[in-house]
Amino acid sequence: MPDLQPSGPASLAGLGVSPGRTAGPCLRMAGPPALPAPNPVTDTGAELAVVGEALEAVAEDLRRRSAAVAGGGRGAAEILDALAMMADDPMLKEEAEQGVRDGLDAPHALDAAFARHREALAALGGYLAERAADLDDLKHRAVAAALGVPMPGVPSPGHPFVLVAEDLSPADTAGLGPDVLALVTVKGGPTSHTAILARGRGLPAVVACAGAAHLVDGTYISVDGATGEIVTGVTEEDAARVREQDSAERARLAATSGPGRTADGHPVKLLLNIGSAADLRPDGEGVGLFRTEFLFLDRKQAPTYEEQVTAYADVFTAVPYVVVRTLDAGTDKPLPFLGLPEEPNPALGVRGLRVDRVLPDVLDTQLDAIAEAARRTGAEAWVMAPMVSTPGEAAAFARRARARGIARVGAMVEVPAAALLADRLLREVDFLSIGTNDLSQYTYAADRQHPALADLLDPAQPALLRLVELCAEAGRAAGKPVGVCGEAAGDARLAPILAGLGVTSLSMAPVCVPAVRDALARHTLEECRELARAALDGR
Ligand code: PEP
Ligand code: MG
């Protein structure tokens, strides 16, 4: 396919995974630069100047990005400041300059100087050795600057833009500055963590858009995060109009408030999915999924007990009702500090609660920290485990949590085996929370990140809804709450169906709450049940 030029509108199809419409110039996330063959140096002075300018450009870019994300939580600004200081290191500059005086061109001199610093850091061991990988990132940036090509990583052009990437890691997405209008990725699926983080930030996002690979930097595009449509070649004026319309629709929905109710008043709690206190918004009836692993995604050292107490207490202080999920590490959310070995089939391996089989201290420390945070704040903590597969696992988890005085203990239903035995799980725990992202992945044997299998991952599929119904019925029989906290819960199309199946709460990215509230309020409970019957029949 030829590159898509700015002239003439054209439409590209992807999967809309985070609602909202916006438009603006697109910029691609560049990969590491390829180092060309060495150039003979004819003007040493000019080459020395390139070295200095490249290092300054890297440090300046990092400082600008740090200023842009300051106050956004998760220590992103601190990380960027630390990297800027590394790029400013006079010894590094001196070594690169010596390389030039010895006959290397600026890109090769920088490459060699960074490589030597990396080795030296790695040899020191411990925390410093862990920073060695950061030097590779800085090296790629400095070499790109010296070559005059875009620096790798998220661009920071100093104006709003739509970020286009092959794919985004959770760490890339977490550190995005406020000038990113929307995300468009070539890869990714509807329940990928890129999608989840985009929703968390209220950023429109389209994934699995093959055509995006050919977008030209600077082209104005419009992005519809609900339908997945991307229109190229829009004018600057069109772009401004699209942004205005989106603000008006957001304002209309934001004007709704109050608890979740069907048209005839049947309550369905509207809860929030968050990764830290910074994600909290003044809407919803509490937190239904606190993804604690999001606090520590970029960490190479285990978070301490005190650090965890503080992070949990921050949320408990702000919101009276919080369901904390214990760390869900593995597959597309690796936690480097756990040091887990690579596995051939990570989605089927030691992830979620299963990490406890090899590292029991991690769960013990976390449960201690949650219990202590609840004590300090006077909150009633609800705790649940991810990836529970059997009633035995649920019972063992419940024992350990209750031994610490944790008030309510639950299990996530993400594995079909757990849904099939929901009634027995509910003999062990106080509530269930259905993680439809993983439940659809494991029900349909379809990788949740796989763009070509998105139809199988659609939570409106009858087999998935049948499992949700099974859980909701078990909850009704036991008199215990059964909610949904996967991305399906934030889909306004599905909310009435899930209510009709009997779930008692929907937990979603804060940005989704107004549209879901609106959708529930349009149907009576009986209408929701009819919609659920039709969906179960595949009608
Ligand atoms: C899920 O699987 O639906 C879920 C809520 O957990 P996560 O998306 O964090 O894996
Ligand atoms: Mg999950």
Coordinates of all heavy atoms in Angstrom, one line a residue, residues 369-457:
A369 N -0.3 -5.3 53.8 CA -0.3 -3.8 53.5 C -1.8 -3.4 53.3 O -2.1 -2.3 53.7 CB 0.5 -3.5 52.2
I370 N -2.6 -4.2 52.6 CA -4.0 -3.8 52.4 C -4.7 -3.7 53.7 O -5.4 -2.7 54.0 CB -4.7 -4.8 51.5 CG1 -4.1 -4.7 50.0 CG2 -6.2 -4.5 51.4 CD1 -4.5 -5.9 49.1
A371 N -4.5 -4.7 54.6 CA -5.1 -4.7 55.9 C -4.7 -3.5 56.7 O -5.5 -2.8 57.4 CB -4.8 -6.0 56.6
E372 N -3.4 -3.2 56.7 CA -2.9 -2.0 57.4 C -3.5 -0.7 56.9 O -3.8 0.2 57.7 CB -1.4 -2.0 57.4 CG -0.7 -0.9 58.1 CD -1.1 -0.7 59.6 OE1 -1.5 -1.7 60.2 OE2 -0.9 0.4 60.1
A373 N -3.5 -0.6 55.6 CA -4.1 0.6 55.0 C -5.5 0.8 55.4 O -6.0 1.9 55.6 CB -4.0 0.6 53.4
A374 N -6.3 -0.3 55.4 CA -7.7 -0.3 55.9 C -7.8 0.2 57.3 O -8.6 1.0 57.7 CB -8.3 -1.6 55.7
R375 N -6.9 -0.4 58.2 CA -6.9 0.0 59.6 C -6.6 1.5 59.7 O -7.3 2.2 60.4 CB -5.8 -0.8 60.3 CG -6.4 -1.9 61.2 CD -5.4 -2.5 62.1 NE -4.2 -3.1 61.4 CZ -4.2 -4.3 60.8 NH1 -5.3 -5.1 60.9 NH2 -3.1 -4.7 60.2
R376 N -5.6 2.0 59.0 CA -5.2 3.4 59.2 C -6.2 4.4 58.7 O -6.3 5.4 59.2 CB -3.9 3.7 58.4 CG -2.7 3.2 59.1 CD -1.4 3.7 58.4 NE -0.3 2.8 58.7 CZ 0.9 2.9 58.1 NH1 1.1 3.8 57.1 NH2 1.8 2.0 58.4
T377 N -7.0 4.0 57.7 CA -8.0 4.9 57.1 C -9.4 4.6 57.6 O -10.3 5.4 57.3 CB -8.0 4.8 55.6 OG1 -8.3 3.4 55.3 CG2 -6.6 5.2 55.0
G378 N -9.6 3.5 58.3 CA -10.9 3.2 58.8 C -11.8 2.7 57.6 O -13.0 2.6 57.8
A379 N -11.2 2.4 56.5 CA -12.0 1.9 55.3 C -12.4 0.4 55.5 O -11.7 -0.3 56.2 CB -11.2 2.1 54.1
E380 N -13.4 0.0 54.8 CA -13.7 -1.4 54.8 C -13.2 -2.0 53.5 O -13.7 -1.7 52.4 CB -15.2 -1.6 54.8 CG -15.6 -3.1 54.9 CD -17.1 -3.3 54.8 OE1 -17.6 -3.3 53.7 OE2 -17.8 -3.5 55.8
A381 N -12.1 -2.7 53.6 CA -11.4 -3.2 52.3 C -12.1 -4.4 51.8 O -12.4 -5.3 52.6 CB -9.9 -3.4 52.6
W382 N -12.3 -4.4 50.5 CA -12.8 -5.6 49.9 C -11.6 -6.1 49.0 O -10.9 -5.2 48.4 CB -14.0 -5.4 48.9 CG -15.2 -5.0 49.6 CD1 -15.4 -4.2 50.7 CD2 -16.5 -5.6 49.3 NE1 -16.8 -4.1 51.0 CE2 -17.5 -5.0 50.2 CE3 -17.0 -6.5 48.4 CZ2 -18.8 -5.3 50.1 CZ3 -18.4 -6.8 48.3 CH2 -19.3 -6.2 49.2
V383 N -11.2 -7.3 49.1 CA -10.0 -7.8 48.3 C -10.4 -9.0 47.5 O -11.2 -9.8 47.9 CB -8.9 -8.3 49.4 CG1 -7.8 -8.9 48.7 CG2 -8.5 -7.1 50.2
M384 N -9.9 -9.0 46.3 CA -10.1 -10.2 45.4 C -8.9 -10.6 44.7 O -7.9 -9.8 44.5 CB -11.2 -9.9 44.4 CG -10.9 -8.9 43.4 SD -12.3 -8.6 42.3 CE -11.7 -7.3 41.2
A385 N -8.8 -11.9 44.3 CA -7.7 -12.5 43.7 C -8.0 -12.7 42.2 O -9.1 -13.0 41.8 CB -7.3 -13.8 44.3
P386 N -7.0 -12.4 41.3 CA -7.1 -12.6 39.9 C -6.8 -14.0 39.5 O -6.1 -14.7 40.2 CB -6.1 -11.7 39.3 CG -5.0 -11.6 40.3 CD -5.6 -11.8 41.7
M387 N -7.4 -14.5 38.4 CA -7.1 -15.8 37.9 C -7.3 -17.0 38.8 O -6.5 -17.9 38.9 CB -5.7 -15.8 37.4 CG -5.4 -15.0 36.2 SD -6.2 -15.6 34.7 CE -5.2 -17.1 34.4
V388 N -8.4 -16.9 39.6 CA -8.8 -18.1 40.4 C -9.4 -19.1 39.5 O -10.2 -18.9 38.7 CB -9.8 -17.6 41.5 CG1 -10.4 -18.8 42.2 CG2 -9.2 -16.6 42.4
S389 N -8.9 -20.4 39.7 CA -9.4 -21.5 38.8 C -10.3 -22.5 39.5 O -11.1 -23.2 38.9 CB -8.2 -22.2 38.2 OG -7.4 -21.3 37.5
T390 N -10.1 -22.6 40.9 CA -10.8 -23.7 41.6 C -11.3 -23.2 42.9 O -10.8 -22.2 43.5 CB -9.8 -24.9 41.9 OG1 -8.8 -24.4 42.8 CG2 -9.1 -25.4 40.7
P391 N -12.4 -23.9 43.4 CA -12.9 -23.5 44.8 C -11.7 -23.6 45.8 O -11.7 -22.9 46.8 CB -14.0 -24.5 45.0 CG -14.4 -25.0 43.7 CD -13.2 -24.9 42.8
G392 N -10.8 -24.6 45.6 CA -9.7 -24.7 46.6 C -8.8 -23.5 46.6 O -8.4 -23.0 47.7
E393 N -8.5 -23.0 45.4 CA -7.7 -21.7 45.4 C -8.5 -20.6 46.1 O -7.9 -19.8 46.8 CB -7.4 -21.4 44.0 CG -6.4 -22.2 43.3 CD -6.1 -21.8 41.8 OE1 -6.8 -20.9 41.3 OE2 -5.2 -22.4 41.2
A394 N -9.8 -20.5 45.8 CA -10.6 -19.4 46.4 C -10.6 -19.6 47.9 O -10.4 -18.6 48.7 CB -12.0 -19.5 45.9
A395 N -10.7 -20.8 48.4 CA -10.7 -21.0 49.9 C -9.4 -20.6 50.5 O -9.4 -20.0 51.6 CB -11.1 -22.5 50.2
A396 N -8.3 -21.0 49.9 CA -7.0 -20.7 50.5 C -6.7 -19.2 50.5 O -6.2 -18.7 51.5 CB -5.9 -21.4 49.7
F397 N -7.2 -18.5 49.4 CA -7.0 -17.1 49.4 C -7.8 -16.4 50.5 O -7.4 -15.5 51.2 CB -7.4 -16.6 48.0 CG -7.3 -15.1 47.9 CD1 -6.1 -14.4 47.8 CD2 -8.5 -14.3 47.8 CE1 -6.0 -13.0 47.7 CE2 -8.4 -12.9 47.7 CZ -7.2 -12.3 47.6
A398 N -9.1 -16.9 50.6 CA -10.0 -16.3 51.6 C -9.4 -16.5 53.0 O -9.5 -15.5 53.8 CB -11.4 -16.9 51.4
R399 N -8.9 -17.7 53.3 CA -8.3 -17.9 54.6 C -7.2 -16.9 54.9 O -7.2 -16.3 56.0 CB -7.7 -19.3 54.6 CG -8.6 -20.3 55.4 CD -7.8 -21.6 55.8 NE -7.0 -22.2 54.7 CZ -7.5 -23.0 53.7 NH1 -8.8 -23.3 53.7 NH2 -6.8 -23.5 52.8
R400 N -6.3 -16.7 54.0 CA -5.2 -15.8 54.2 C -5.7 -14.4 54.4 O -5.1 -13.6 55.2 CB -4.2 -15.9 53.1 CG -3.3 -17.2 53.4 CD -2.6 -17.6 52.2 NE -1.5 -16.8 51.8 CZ -0.8 -16.9 50.6 NH1 -1.1 -17.9 49.8 NH2 0.2 -16.2 50.4
A401 N -6.6 -14.0 53.6 CA -7.1 -12.6 53.7 C -7.9 -12.4 55.0 O -7.6 -11.4 55.7 CB -8.0 -12.2 52.5
R402 N -8.7 -13.3 55.4 CA -9.5 -13.2 56.6 C -8.6 -13.2 57.8 O -8.9 -12.6 58.8 CB -10.6 -14.2 56.6 CG -11.7 -14.0 55.6 CD -12.9 -14.9 55.7 NE -13.8 -14.7 54.7 CZ -14.3 -15.6 53.8 NH1 -13.9 -16.8 53.9 NH2 -15.2 -15.3 52.9
A403 N -7.6 -14.0 57.7 CA -6.7 -14.1 58.9 C -6.1 -12.7 59.2 O -5.6 -12.5 60.4 CB -5.5 -15.1 58.6
R404 N -6.1 -11.8 58.3 CA -5.6 -10.5 58.5 C -6.7 -9.5 58.8 O -6.4 -8.3 58.8 CB -4.8 -10.0 57.3 CG -3.5 -10.8 57.1 CD -2.9 -10.6 55.7 NE -1.6 -11.2 55.7 CZ -1.3 -12.4 55.5 NH1 -2.2 -13.3 55.3 NH2 0.0 -12.8 55.5
G405 N -7.9 -10.0 59.0 CA -9.0 -9.1 59.3 C -9.6 -8.3 58.1 O -10.3 -7.4 58.3
I406 N -9.3 -8.8 56.9 CA -9.9 -8.1 55.7 C -11.4 -8.5 55.7 O -11.7 -9.7 55.8 CB -9.1 -8.5 54.5 CG1 -7.7 -7.9 54.5 CG2 -9.9 -8.1 53.2 CD1 -6.8 -8.2 53.4
A407 N -12.2 -7.4 55.5 CA -13.6 -7.6 55.7 C -14.3 -8.5 54.7 O -15.0 -9.4 55.0 CB -14.3 -6.2 55.7
R408 N -14.1 -8.2 53.4 CA -14.8 -9.0 52.4 C -13.7 -9.5 51.4 O -12.9 -8.8 50.9 CB -15.7 -8.1 51.6 CG -16.8 -7.5 52.4 CD -17.7 -8.6 53.0 NE -18.8 -7.9 53.7 CZ -20.0 -7.9 53.3 NH1 -20.4 -8.5 52.2 NH2 -21.0 -7.3 54.0
V409 N -13.9 -10.8 51.1 CA -12.9 -11.5 50.2 C -13.7 -12.0 49.0 O -14.7 -12.7 49.1 CB -12.2 -12.6 51.0 CG1 -11.1 -13.2 50.1 CG2 -11.7 -12.2 52.3
G410 N -13.1 -11.8 47.8 CA -13.8 -12.3 46.6 C -12.8 -13.0 45.7 O -11.6 -13.0 45.9
A411 N -13.4 -13.5 44.6 CA -12.6 -14.1 43.6 C -13.0 -13.6 42.2 O -14.2 -13.3 42.0 CB -12.9 -15.6 43.6
M412 N -12.0 -13.4 41.4 CA -12.3 -13.0 40.0 C -12.7 -14.2 39.2 O -12.1 -15.3 39.4 CB -11.2 -12.3 39.4 CG -11.0 -10.8 39.9 SD -9.8 -9.9 38.8 CE -10.8 -9.6 37.4
V413 N -13.6 -14.1 38.3 CA -14.0 -15.2 37.4 C -13.4 -14.8 36.0 O -14.0 -14.0 35.4 CB -15.5 -15.4 37.4 CG1 -15.8 -16.5 36.3 CG2 -16.0 -15.8 38.7
E414 N -12.3 -15.4 35.7 CA -11.6 -15.1 34.4 C -11.3 -16.4 33.6 O -10.8 -16.3 32.5 CB -10.3 -14.4 34.7 CG -10.5 -13.1 35.6 CD -9.2 -12.4 35.8 OE1 -8.4 -12.7 36.7 OE2 -8.9 -11.5 35.0
V415 N -11.5 -17.5 34.3 CA -11.2 -18.8 33.7 C -12.6 -19.6 33.6 O -13.3 -19.5 34.6 CB -10.3 -19.6 34.7 CG1 -9.9 -20.9 34.1 CG2 -9.0 -18.8 34.9
P416 N -12.9 -20.2 32.5 CA -14.2 -20.9 32.4 C -14.4 -21.8 33.6 O -15.6 -22.0 34.1 CB -14.1 -21.6 31.1 CG -13.2 -20.7 30.3 CD -12.2 -20.2 31.2
A417 N -13.4 -22.5 34.0 CA -13.5 -23.5 35.2 C -14.2 -22.8 36.4 O -15.0 -23.4 37.1 CB -12.2 -24.1 35.5
A418 N -13.8 -21.5 36.6 CA -14.3 -20.8 37.8 C -15.8 -20.5 37.6 O -16.6 -20.6 38.5 CB -13.5 -19.6 38.0
A419 N -16.1 -20.1 36.3 CA -17.5 -19.8 36.1 C -18.4 -21.0 36.2 O -19.5 -20.9 36.8 CB -17.7 -19.2 34.7
L420 N -17.9 -22.1 35.7 CA -18.7 -23.4 35.8 C -19.0 -23.8 37.2 O -20.0 -24.4 37.5 CB -18.0 -24.5 35.0 CG -17.9 -24.2 33.5 CD1 -16.9 -25.2 32.8 CD2 -19.3 -24.4 32.8
L421 N -18.1 -23.5 38.1 CA -18.3 -23.8 39.5 C -18.5 -22.6 40.4 O -18.1 -22.5 41.6 CB -17.0 -24.6 40.0 CG -16.7 -25.9 39.4 CD1 -15.6 -26.7 40.1 CD2 -18.0 -26.8 39.4
A422 N -19.2 -21.6 39.8 CA -19.4 -20.3 40.5 C -20.1 -20.6 41.9 O -19.8 -20.0 42.9 CB -20.2 -19.4 39.7
D423 N -21.1 -21.5 41.9 CA -21.8 -21.8 43.1 C -20.9 -22.3 44.2 O -20.9 -21.9 45.4 CB -22.9 -22.8 42.9 CG -22.5 -24.1 42.2 OD1 -21.4 -24.1 41.7 OD2 -23.2 -25.1 42.3
R424 N -19.9 -23.1 43.8 CA -19.0 -23.6 44.8 C -18.0 -22.6 45.3 O -17.6 -22.5 46.4 CB -18.2 -24.9 44.3 CG -19.2 -26.0 44.2 CD -18.4 -27.3 44.1 NE -19.0 -28.2 43.1 CZ -18.4 -29.2 42.5 NH1 -17.2 -29.5 42.8 NH2 -19.1 -29.8 41.6
L425 N -17.6 -21.7 44.3 CA -16.7 -20.6 44.7 C -17.4 -19.7 45.7 O -16.7 -19.3 46.7 CB -16.4 -19.8 43.4 CG -15.0 -19.8 42.9 CD1 -14.6 -21.3 42.5 CD2 -14.8 -19.0 41.6
L426 N -18.7 -19.5 45.5 CA -19.4 -18.6 46.4 C -19.6 -19.2 47.8 O -20.1 -18.5 48.7 CB -20.7 -18.2 45.8 CG -20.6 -17.1 44.8 CD1 -21.8 -16.8 44.0 CD2 -20.1 -15.8 45.5
R427 N -19.3 -20.5 48.0 CA -19.3 -21.1 49.4 C -18.1 -20.6 50.1 O -18.0 -20.6 51.3 CB -19.3 -22.6 49.3 CG -20.7 -23.1 48.9 CD -20.7 -24.7 49.0 NE -21.5 -25.2 48.0 CZ -21.4 -26.4 47.3 NH1 -20.4 -27.2 47.7 NH2 -22.3 -26.7 46.4
E428 N -17.0 -20.3 49.4 CA -15.7 -19.9 50.0 C -15.6 -18.4 50.1 O -14.8 -17.9 51.0 CB -14.6 -20.4 49.1 CG -14.7 -21.9 48.7 CD -14.7 -22.8 49.9 OE1 -14.3 -22.4 51.0 OE2 -15.2 -24.0 49.8
V429 N -16.2 -17.6 49.2 CA -15.9 -16.2 49.2 C -17.2 -15.4 49.3 O -18.3 -15.9 49.1 CB -15.1 -15.8 47.9 CG1 -13.7 -16.4 47.9 CG2 -15.9 -16.1 46.6
D430 N -17.0 -14.1 49.5 CA -18.2 -13.2 49.7 C -18.8 -12.6 48.4 O -19.9 -12.1 48.4 CB -17.8 -12.0 50.6 CG -17.2 -12.5 51.9 OD1 -17.8 -13.4 52.6 OD2 -16.1 -12.1 52.3
F431 N -18.0 -12.6 47.4 CA -18.5 -12.0 46.1 C -17.6 -12.5 45.0 O -16.5 -13.0 45.1 CB -18.4 -10.4 46.2 CG -17.0 -9.9 46.2 CD1 -16.4 -9.4 45.1 CD2 -16.3 -9.8 47.5 CE1 -15.1 -8.9 45.1 CE2 -15.1 -9.2 47.5 CZ -14.4 -8.8 46.4
L432 N -18.2 -12.3 43.8 CA -17.4 -12.7 42.5 C -17.4 -11.4 41.7 O -18.3 -10.6 41.7 CB -18.2 -13.8 41.7 CG -18.3 -15.1 42.4 CD1 -19.0 -16.1 41.5 CD2 -16.9 -15.7 42.8
S433 N -16.3 -11.3 40.9 CA -16.2 -10.2 40.0 C -15.7 -10.8 38.6 O -14.6 -11.5 38.6 CB -15.2 -9.2 40.5 OG -15.1 -8.1 39.6
I434 N -16.5 -10.7 37.6 CA -16.2 -11.4 36.3 C -15.3 -10.5 35.5 O -15.6 -9.4 35.1 CB -17.5 -11.7 35.6 CG1 -18.5 -12.4 36.5 CG2 -17.2 -12.5 34.3 CD1 -19.9 -12.6 35.9
G435 N -14.1 -11.1 35.2 CA -13.1 -10.4 34.3 C -13.4 -10.8 32.9 O -12.8 -11.8 32.4
T436 N -14.2 -10.1 32.2 CA -14.6 -10.6 30.9 C -13.5 -10.6 29.8 O -13.5 -11.3 28.8 CB -15.8 -9.8 30.3 OG1 -15.6 -8.4 30.6 CG2 -17.1 -10.2 31.0
N437 N -12.5 -9.8 30.1 CA -11.3 -9.7 29.2 C -10.6 -11.1 29.1 O -10.4 -11.6 28.0 CB -10.3 -8.6 29.6 CG -10.9 -7.3 29.9 OD1 -12.0 -7.0 29.4 ND2 -10.3 -6.5 30.7
D438 N -10.3 -11.6 30.3 CA -9.6 -12.9 30.3 C -10.6 -14.0 30.1 O -10.3 -15.0 29.4 CB -8.8 -13.1 31.6 CG -7.5 -12.4 31.5 OD1 -6.8 -12.6 30.5 OD2 -7.1 -11.7 32.4
L439 N -11.8 -13.8 30.6 CA -12.8 -14.9 30.4 C -13.1 -15.1 28.9 O -13.2 -16.3 28.5 CB -14.1 -14.6 31.2 CG -15.1 -15.7 31.3 CD1 -14.5 -17.0 32.0 CD2 -16.4 -15.3 32.1
S440 N -13.1 -14.1 28.1 CA -13.4 -14.3 26.7 C -12.1 -14.9 26.1 O -12.2 -15.8 25.2 CB -13.9 -13.0 26.0 OG -13.0 -12.0 26.2
Q441 N -11.0 -14.4 26.5 CA -9.7 -15.0 25.9 C -9.7 -16.5 26.2 O -9.4 -17.3 25.3 CB -8.5 -14.3 26.6 CG -7.2 -15.2 26.6 CD -6.0 -14.3 27.0 OE1 -5.4 -13.8 26.1 NE2 -5.6 -14.2 28.2
Y442 N -10.0 -16.9 27.4 CA -9.9 -18.4 27.7 C -11.1 -19.2 27.2 O -11.0 -20.4 27.0 CB -9.7 -18.6 29.2 CG -8.4 -18.0 29.7 CD1 -8.3 -17.0 30.7 CD2 -7.1 -18.3 29.1 CE1 -7.1 -16.4 31.1 CE2 -5.9 -17.8 29.5 CZ -5.9 -16.8 30.5 OH -4.7 -16.2 30.9
T443 N -12.2 -18.5 27.1 CA -13.4 -19.3 26.6 C -13.3 -19.6 25.1 O -13.6 -20.7 24.6 CB -14.7 -18.5 26.9 OG1 -14.8 -18.2 28.3 CG2 -15.9 -19.2 26.4
Y444 N -12.8 -18.6 24.4 CA -12.7 -18.7 22.9 C -11.3 -19.1 22.5 O -11.0 -19.2 21.3 CB -13.1 -17.5 22.2 CG -14.6 -17.3 22.3 CD1 -15.3 -16.7 23.3 CD2 -15.4 -17.9 21.3 CE1 -16.6 -16.6 23.4 CE2 -16.8 -17.9 21.3 CZ -17.4 -17.2 22.4 OH -18.8 -17.1 22.4
A445 N -10.4 -19.4 23.4 CA -9.0 -19.7 23.1 C -8.4 -18.7 22.1 O -7.8 -19.1 21.1 CB -8.9 -21.2 22.5
A446 N -8.6 -17.4 22.4 CA -8.2 -16.4 21.5 C -7.4 -15.3 22.2 O -8.0 -14.7 23.2 CB -9.4 -15.7 20.8
D447 N -6.2 -15.2 21.9 CA -5.3 -14.2 22.6 C -6.0 -12.8 22.6 O -6.4 -12.3 21.6 CB -4.0 -14.1 21.8 CG -2.9 -13.2 22.4 OD1 -3.3 -12.3 23.2 OD2 -1.8 -13.3 22.1
R448 N -6.1 -12.3 23.8 CA -6.8 -11.0 24.0 C -6.1 -9.9 23.2 O -6.7 -8.8 23.1 CB -7.0 -10.7 25.5 CG -5.7 -10.4 26.2 CD -6.0 -10.4 27.7 NE -6.3 -9.0 28.2 CZ -6.5 -8.7 29.5 NH1 -6.6 -9.7 30.4 NH2 -6.7 -7.5 29.8
Q449 N -4.9 -10.1 22.8 CA -4.1 -9.0 22.1 C -4.2 -9.2 20.6 O -3.6 -8.4 19.9 CB -2.7 -9.1 22.5 CG -2.4 -9.0 24.0 CD -1.8 -7.7 24.4 OE1 -2.4 -6.6 24.2 NE2 -0.6 -7.7 24.8
H450 N -4.8 -10.3 20.2 CA -4.7 -10.7 18.7 C -5.6 -9.9 17.9 O -6.9 -10.1 18.0 CB -4.9 -12.2 18.6 CG -4.3 -12.7 17.4 ND1 -4.5 -12.2 16.1 CD2 -3.4 -13.7 17.2 CE1 -3.8 -12.9 15.2 NE2 -3.1 -13.8 15.9
P451 N -5.1 -9.0 17.0 CA -6.0 -8.2 16.2 C -6.9 -8.9 15.3 O -8.1 -8.6 15.0 CB -5.1 -7.2 15.4 CG -3.8 -7.8 15.5 CD -3.7 -8.7 16.7
A452 N -6.4 -10.1 14.8 CA -7.2 -10.8 13.8 C -8.3 -11.7 14.5 O -9.2 -12.3 13.8 CB -6.3 -11.7 13.0
L453 N -8.3 -11.8 15.8 CA -9.3 -12.6 16.5 C -10.3 -11.8 17.3 O -11.0 -12.3 18.1 CB -8.6 -13.6 17.4 CG -7.6 -14.5 16.8 CD1 -6.9 -15.3 17.9 CD2 -8.2 -15.4 15.7
A454 N -10.4 -10.5 16.9 CA -11.2 -9.6 17.7 C -12.7 -10.0 17.8 O -13.4 -9.8 18.8 CB -11.1 -8.1 17.2
D455 N -13.2 -10.6 16.7 CA -14.6 -11.0 16.7 C -14.9 -12.0 17.7 O -15.9 -12.0 18.4 CB -15.0 -11.5 15.3 CG -14.1 -12.6 14.8 OD1 -12.9 -12.6 15.1 OD2 -14.6 -13.6 14.2
L456 N -13.9 -12.9 18.0 CA -14.1 -14.0 19.0 C -14.0 -13.4 20.4 O -14.6 -13.9 21.3 CB -13.0 -15.0 18.9 CG -13.0 -15.9 17.6 CD1 -11.8 -16.8 17.5 CD2 -14.3 -16.7 17.5
L457 N -13.3 -12.3 20.5 CA -13.2 -11.7 21.8 C -14.3 -10.7 22.2 O -14.4 -10.2 23.3 CB -11.9 -10.9 21.9 CG -10.6 -11.8 21.8 CD1 -9.4 -11.0 21.3 CD2 -10.4 -12.5 23.1

